[in-house]
Amino acid sequence: MNPIETIHNGYKFRSRLEARWAVFFDSLKVTYDYEKEGYNLDGRWYLPDFWIPMWDCWLEIKPEIPNLRDVKEEYFLCSKLCKHTEKNVILVGGNPWSKDESIGSYPIYELEYGVAIFSSPALIKTKINLDTSNYKDKSINIDDRHHVTRLNESFYSEEHLLPGVIDRAKEQYPKLFPGSIPNKGEITELIEADKKYYKHKYGEEHPHWQYGLAEDRLGFSILNKKIYYTPFASDIPQDSKLTEAFTKARQARFKEKNGGD
C-alpha cells in the first residue's frame, strides 16, 4: 500500500502515519519542524522527518521498529545521521496509540509502536529534555525507574552498570583482558571493552554499539506532567494527557493532497 500524502498543521506529510504522530505531538504541546533540513550521508541524500527543538534531536517515523538483530537500513541511516549532525536521533515505529489489556486492577498496555534512541559517546552528556513545562531546560528528569540508561553518565560510572559488566567479563575471560580494564567514567574505553566481550561471548557484533543505539523497544509515559521514554511503559497507568493524545491521533481526519478526506 502506497503512503497517502496528508495535510495537517500547515504541513504536507508524506504519509498518514506521519500526520497521526504530528497530531499526537500537537496534543502534548511538543513542537516540531517537518523535513527541516537534508544531509549527505556518505553519498546518500537523507531528509529526516521531524526536528524536535525542545528535545534538541531528530525524530524519524517508520511503520515499525525493525528487529534489532537484523541488518536494517533504517538503523544505519539513523546512526549516520546521529554522527553527522552530532544530535541524538529518535526512531519511532508504528501507530501512536496502545490497547488496554488490563487484568482487573493491574494495568497492561499493548503498545502499537516502539521507540529507539540513537546516540554516540560524544553525546552522552547531551541529555534530552522531556519536560514540556520548561522549553529552556536541556536536562532530562531522571529517577531510579524512568530514564534512558545509555544517555545517562551514571551508566558508565556506577559499579552495578557497565563498569560492573566489564569487571565480571574480566573474571570470566581473563585472557580476553590481559591488562587493566577501563576505569569508571571512561566512556569510549568501556564501550570498546563491552564490544570486545560481547563479540567473544556471542560471536557477533553487539547490536547496540554497532548502531550507536542508546535504547530500543521503549514507549512514552507521562508522570507528574513530564514526558518520559521508558521500557516500563506497559506497566504504568497511562496519564489522561497521554490517552487523550492517543485518542486524538487515532480519530484524526485529514485532508489529502488532492483535497479529499
Side-chain angles (χ1 to χ4, degrees):
M1 183 179 297
N2 294 326
I4 301 174
E5 290 189 338
T6 303
I7 297 174
H8 170 71
N9 196 21
Y11 291 108
K12 184 175 69 177
F13 293 97
R14 294 180 184 271
S15 70
R16 187 65 55 86
L17 179 62
E18 291 177 349
R20 292 198 185 282
W21 276 105
V23 173
F24 175 80
F25 290 122
D26 287 340
S27 178
L28 296 176
K29 295 182 172 56
V30 176
T31 59
Y32 53 82
D33 294 316
Y34 181 66
E35 294 190 340
K36 177 182 179 181
E37 187 174 358
Y39 296 93
N40 185 337
L41 302 180
D42 296 332
R44 172 168 177 172
W45 181 254
Y46 192 64
L47 184 61
D49 294 330
F50 292 90
W51 170 252
I52 310 294
M54 63 184 292
W55 296 343
D56 194 36
C57 69
W58 299 104
L59 188 144
E60 278 290 291
I61 302 295
K62 300 295 179 185
E64 63 181 356
I65 292 288
N67 186 316
L68 182 60
R69 295 190 179 278
D70 292 341
V71 179
K72 292 292 186 179
E73 184 181 37
E74 292 93 333
Y75 278 178
F76 283 117
L77 288 173
C78 286
S79 178
K80 289 180 180 180
L81 179 64
C82 171
K83 293 177 182 177
H84 184 86
T85 63
E86 296 186 347
K87 298 293 182 182
N88 293 311
V89 177
I90 300 172
L91 175 64
V92 178
N95 294 303
W97 52 72
S98 66
K99 292 187 293 186
D100 186 346
E101 302 287 344
S102 297
I103 302 175
S105 61
Y106 184 75
I108 300 176
Y109 299 99
E110 183 179 343
L111 305 182
E112 295 195 16
Y113 66 93
V115 177
I117 300 181
F118 297 78
S119 188
S120 69
L123 294 174
I124 297 303
K125 296 181 180 180
T126 307
K127 303 181 182 70
I128 302 174
N129 171 29
L130 303 182
D131 180 358
T132 59
S133 67
N134 190 341
Y135 283 69
K136 296 180 180 179
D137 182 13
K138 293 299 181 183
S139 63
I140 185 174
N141 293 279
I142 295 175
D143 60 30
D144 292 336
R145 185 175 170 87
H146 310 99
H147 66 280
V148 181
T149 307
R150 290 174 177 83
L151 290 180
N152 185 353
E153 289 180 78
S154 65
F155 181 70
Y156 305 90
S157 59
E158 295 187 7
E159 183 61 37
H160 68 287
L161 297 172
L162 189 56
V165 171
I166 303 305
D167 280 338
R168 292 189 293 274
K170 183 174 176 61
E171 293 178 2
Q172 188 175 5
Y173 303 107
K175 293 182 180 179
L176 190 63
F177 301 99
S180 61
I181 59 176
N183 296 318
K184 297 177 183 178
E186 295 180 342
I187 296 174
T188 302
E189 293 80 1
L190 285 166
I191 289 174
E192 290 302 316
D194 193 34
K195 289 165 64 176
K196 183 178 180 181
Y197 160 61
Y198 193 96
K199 181 68 176 292
H200 180 82
K201 184 173 182 179
Y202 298 105
E204 60 184 36
E205 299 295 334
H206 195 306
H208 278 96
W209 303 131
Q210 180 183 9
Y211 298 113
L213 192 60
E215 292 286 353
D216 67 305
R217 302 295 180 180
L218 301 172
F220 292 102
S221 292
I222 296 182
L223 295 173
N224 300 322
K225 299 182 180 179
K226 296 179 176 62
I227 302 176
Y228 295 92
Y229 302 121
T230 169
F232 305 101
S234 61
D235 299 327
I236 298 173
Q238 294 183 358
D239 182 272
S240 60
K241 290 185 178 297
L242 186 65
T243 54
E244 180 183 0
F246 285 152
T247 300
K248 287 183 177 180
R250 184 190 290 269
Q251 296 179 351
R253 296 294 179 264
F254 305 102
K255 288 185 176 181
E256 298 177 15
K257 181 181 177 183
N258 61 8
D261 291 330

